[in-house]
Structure formats: structure tokens, C-alpha cells
């Protein structure tokens, strides 16, 4: 079967767009945080989405609530953890994101804010403007798990 390259390219682009649309539709699927009940649309810049291997999803308003949900789901296989990019609100892989801990911007469900950024340069710009320190996913998750619940 001979499929013209242009059609394959179009198909790939459409597939990527539909996957991105599905990921961003998390707010309609999980409007309220599974842990605290906050409106995830209002906190779209800090929301998170946990996807388990069995297809189940947990929507959280923040890293604080996502950490609580992960702890409750201990033993379940996590397929992916997505976090909102602080600047764009698009969901990104939490492990690949550059995190900022602290700073002057008030956090969500926490006294010590933790923000995800898709681009390291955006995280650095945020730190320069608002303070805080650059951190990895592991450091941000550990900090969230140490907070009182």
C-alpha cells in the first residue's frame, strides 16, 4: 500500500493535536480536585493529572493534593503524572518539567509554593522575577509529601 508522505504527515499532526486536546480536556473530566474539592478550572495553572496503568485518572488542584492522591494510591501502577505549566497552563510531564520551590507568588494548598514549567528558561525567569529555587520533580514531590495534610 502506497500512502503519500504528505498524508502520513497530516495524520501524525492530527494524532498529536487530538492527544493534546484529550490531555487538556482533563478539566471537563475532573472539574473538581479529588482531594480537596477545589475547582481545577480556577486553578488551571497549578492543576495536576495522575493517570494509572488501568486507565483510571485522578485530577488534583495542586502538587500538594496530587502527592496525597499518590500516597492513597500506593501500590497502583502510575502510567503518567502531568502538571500544568505555570505560565501556559498546558499539561506537561511532571518528571520532565523544571520545578520552582518557594518565591513570592502564593502557592495553592501550600505555604511553600511549587510550580512546574515546561521550559527551564521559563523557570529561571520566574525565579529571577519572584524568587524561589530551581528543583527537580523528585525534590518538589518530596517537599509536598513533607507538608502537613
Amino acid at each position: 500500500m502506497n500512502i503519500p508522505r504528505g498524508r502520513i504527515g497530516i495524520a501524525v499532526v492530527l494524532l498529536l493535536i487530538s492527544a493534546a486536546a484529550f490531555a487538556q480536556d482533563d478539566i471537563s473530566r475532573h472539574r473538581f480536585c479529588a482531594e480537596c474539592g477545589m475547582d481545577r478550572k480556577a486553578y488551571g495553572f497549578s492543576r495536576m493529572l495522575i493517570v494509572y496503568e488501568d486507565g483510571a485518572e485522578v485530577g488534583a488542584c495542586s502538587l500538594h493534593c496530587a502527592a496525597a492522591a499518590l500516597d492513597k494510591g500506593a501500590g497502583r501502577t502510575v502510567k503518567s503524572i502531568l502538571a500544568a505549566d505555570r505560565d501556559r497552563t498546558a499539561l506537561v510531564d511532571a518528571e520532565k518539567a523544571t520545578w520552582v520551590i518557594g518565591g513570592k507568588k502564593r502557592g495553592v494548598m501550600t505555604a511553600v509554593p511549587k510550580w512546574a514549567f515546561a521550559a527551564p528558561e521559563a523557570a529561571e525567569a520566574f525565579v529571577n522575577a519572584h524568587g524561589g529555587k530551581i528543583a527537580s520533580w523528585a525534590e518538589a514531590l518530596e517537599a509536598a509529601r513533607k507538608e502537613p495534610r
Side-chain angles (χ1 to χ4, degrees), residues 15-143:
L15 181 64
L16 291 173
I17 290 170
S18 62
F22 179 78
Q24 297 311 309
D25 193 38
D26 68 293
I27 293 173
S28 65
R29 293 192 315 273
H30 308 283
R31 179 64 186 255
F32 299 98
C33 178
E35 289 299 311
C36 72
M38 281 179 41
D39 185 341
R40 292 177 68 246
K41 184 175 182 180
Y43 292 91
F45 57 91
S46 66
R47 77 188 191 285
M48 296 191 68
L49 183 68
I50 302 164
V51 181
Y52 290 99
E53 196 65 43
D54 65 5
E57 296 179 340
V58 176
C61 67
S62 62
L63 177 54
H64 176 86
C65 287
L70 285 166
D71 291 346
K72 284 182 181 175
R76 294 179 75 184
T77 304
V78 175
K79 182 178 180 181
S80 63
I81 302 172
L82 304 172
D85 177 291
R86 174 69 172 81
D87 290 340
R88 299 178 303 120
T89 72
L91 291 176
V92 299
D93 185 325
E95 291 184 29
K96 293 178 182 173
T98 301
W99 288 81
V100 173
I101 299 175
K104 295 181 276 184
K105 286 282 186 182
R106 186 173 168 208
V108 178
M109 299 298 291
T110 180
V112 180
K114 291 158 219 55
W115 307 112
F117 294 87
E121 303 80 20
E124 291 168 15
F126 184 89
V127 168
N128 290 335
H130 306 289
K133 68 172 188 147
I134 302 290
S136 68
W137 161 245
E139 292 168 322
L141 181 59
E142 179 182 347

